[in-house]
């Protein structure tokens, strides 16, 4: 690290831009989750909110270039100026988690591990409903990381994706939250019927829609972005040594 | 710039953390002010949201160390990884604007220039009301930069500060927005009575309070943070050359 940075310690790096608003949402939630009285109590964060990364969905569909080089370049920037850890506020980007972690000096926080940590804040949980895109589910990192902790992840059927989850996400993007709440709420209800004790909201479109529903009609929810924010705050609390 | 960053172009650097939420507010407003269809259309931003900077007000009051070295270290980080310009979402920090600009490779955008640009989006304006902290007003950079454009800045009296502006800002910090709206609205009304054709909200506490008032009862408002966001978007539009 250059002497020019002297006096500034390590920070939580955020590899963002996928999309830019999800990154802002993570930054706001890091602040909300931090017990702070003064500015100086807050978690130091450097957010690389650069969206000029090839489209992840297109690459997965075989119709576009890999986003990996651009993501690695963003991580190289965060590492170069002293990142102590790096978080990525995009579920789909975790498809490349192992390659990104191998290319980073700073350790990466995995969003599924962060979500799993937040499932343990009450009675033991064995079955959770996972609300995520089909791309995220096919990559199976949530299911695998939950299984390693003895938690079974329940997911929607293909038919439920076609009629409820996918149109519900498009309704959020179109700003039609009442319609989104109805569709995504029904997708969530199917997971509850199959025994989900908690819901993990592992897609950034889902929380604003479900927030419109009566919370008592669905199992308790873990917002993966908020869980990632809480993991960032824990990292800082464990690594911060006040002068 | 290291070859490891190849493929990523220049970005808008944000020297933030003063406070962390004002930085998040700027990032959200940059997104709102950007005409974008896809993630990739958004302005690339790297936000140094590191609040471990000595308190600006305490230094001004002669009771604490200078924040300048920590601010320069943040700028050095942004410069080291390729900032194309740098914006600072904190009015008070602009007291050190000249020293920061002299210490930066990338040009800095001044928040008062950004606000002045936004005053020119309609009929010519010659008298504006400036809602800012006494520290910002004493540094006089708003008044001087407005005067250079032929705009007279009107400010509240000491008595109005003691009875309206300062308690209004504390009411925002305490979360009492109805009280804040009444106090800050009255401070603004005094400026309107003296002939202000526009109001410049040059303190991050003011916009959420005034947003609660009937917009037709006060002169049109320029939010300095939104103006700074718009200046960042203009910088990107002028410097972005798509491949």
């Amino acid at each position: 690290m250059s002497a020019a940075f002297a006096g500034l310690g390590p920070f939580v790096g955020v590899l963002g831009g996928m999309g830019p608003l999800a990154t802002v949402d993570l930054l706001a939630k890091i602040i909300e989750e931090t017990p702070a009285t003064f500015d100086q109590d807050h978690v130091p964060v450097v957010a690389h909110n650069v969206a000029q990364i090839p489209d992840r969905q297109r690459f997965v569909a075989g119709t576009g270039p890999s986003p990996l080089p651009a993501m690695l370049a963003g991580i190289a920037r965060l590492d170069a100026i002293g990142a102590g850890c790096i978080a990525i506020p995009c579920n789909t980007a975790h498809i490349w988690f192992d390659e990104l972690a191998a290319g980073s000096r700073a350790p990466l926080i995995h969003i599924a591990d962060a979500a799993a940590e937040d499932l343990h804040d009450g009675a033991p949980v064995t079955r959770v409903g996972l609300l995520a895109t089909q791309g995220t589910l096919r990559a199976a990192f949530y299911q695998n990381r939950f299984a390693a902790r003895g938690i079974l992840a329940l997911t929607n059927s293909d038919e439920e994706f076609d009629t409820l989850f996918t149109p519900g996400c498009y309704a959020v993007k179109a700003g039609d939250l009442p319609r989104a709440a109805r569709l995504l709420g029904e997708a969530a209800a199917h997971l509850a019927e199959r025994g989900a004790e908690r819901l993990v909201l592992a897609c950034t479109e889902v929380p604003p829609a479900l927030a419109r529903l009566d919370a008592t009609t669905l199992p308790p929810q873990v917002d993966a972005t908020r869980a990632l924010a809480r993991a960032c705050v824990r990292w800082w609390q464990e690594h911060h040594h006040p002068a």
Side-chain angles (χ1 to χ4, degrees), chain A:
Chain A
M1 219 187 306
S2 159
F5 310 149
L8 289 181
F11 57 82
V12 172
V14 173
L15 181 69
M18 303 174 279
L21 209 52
T23 303
V24 172
D25 187 41
L26 175 68
L27 299 183
K29 285 171 177 166
I30 289 174
I31 295 170
E32 286 172 20
E33 294 291 336
T34 305
T37 308
F38 301 105
D39 278 2
Q40 290 76 7
D41 298 332
H42 281 280
V43 179
V45 174
V46 177
H48 191 262
N49 203 6
V50 174
Q52 282 68 30
I53 298 176
D55 190 288
R56 283 69 63 197
Q57 313 289 352
R58 281 200 207 162
F59 175 74
V60 170
T63 57
S66 169
L68 184 59
M71 289 195 282
L72 284 169
I75 281 183
R77 279 176 167 174
L78 294 169
D79 275 338
I81 57 174
C85 71
I86 294 176
I88 310 172
C90 171
N91 288 284
T92 308
H94 284 74
I95 293 173
W96 293 273
F97 184 85
D98 292 343
E99 292 92 330
L100 294 171
S104 179
R105 184 187 48 70
L108 268 58
I109 298 176
H110 197 296
I111 195 168
D113 290 340
E117 287 291 323
D118 272 16
L119 287 170
H120 286 301
D121 65 350
V125 170
T126 57
R127 295 163 80 88
V128 304
L130 188 54
L131 287 160
T133 63
Q134 284 176 297
T136 298
L137 293 182
R138 284 191 193 117
F141 51 81
Y142 267 100
Q143 297 94 315
N144 293 340
R145 285 176 187 252
F146 284 8
R149 295 164 184 252
I151 300 168
L152 177 66
L154 305 168
T155 60
N156 284 115
S157 69
D158 285 350
E159 194 197 329
E160 288 162 2
F161 262 97
D162 292 345
T163 59
L164 300 173
F165 188 88
T166 305
C169 286
Y170 279 109
V172 175
K173 287 179 199 285
D176 187 352
L177 284 181
R179 176 175 156 80
R182 187 176 57 75
L183 291 166
L184 292 172
E186 204 174 320
H190 283 297
L191 300 177
E193 285 159 17
R194 284 173 213 142
E197 302 149 57
R198 302 280 178 94
L199 296 174
V200 172
L201 316 187
C203 169
T204 52
E205 316 286 354
V206 175
L210 290 194
R212 297 178 66 93
L213 298 176
D214 177 359
T216 62
T217 63
L218 290 173
Q221 300 164 19
V222 169
D223 166 4
T225 303
R226 186 172 295 279
L228 187 59
R230 290 160 54 87
C232 291
V233 174
R234 282 195 301 274
W235 180 87
W236 172 242
Q237 289 169 337
E238 285 161 15
H239 290 80
H240 173 47
H241 306 288

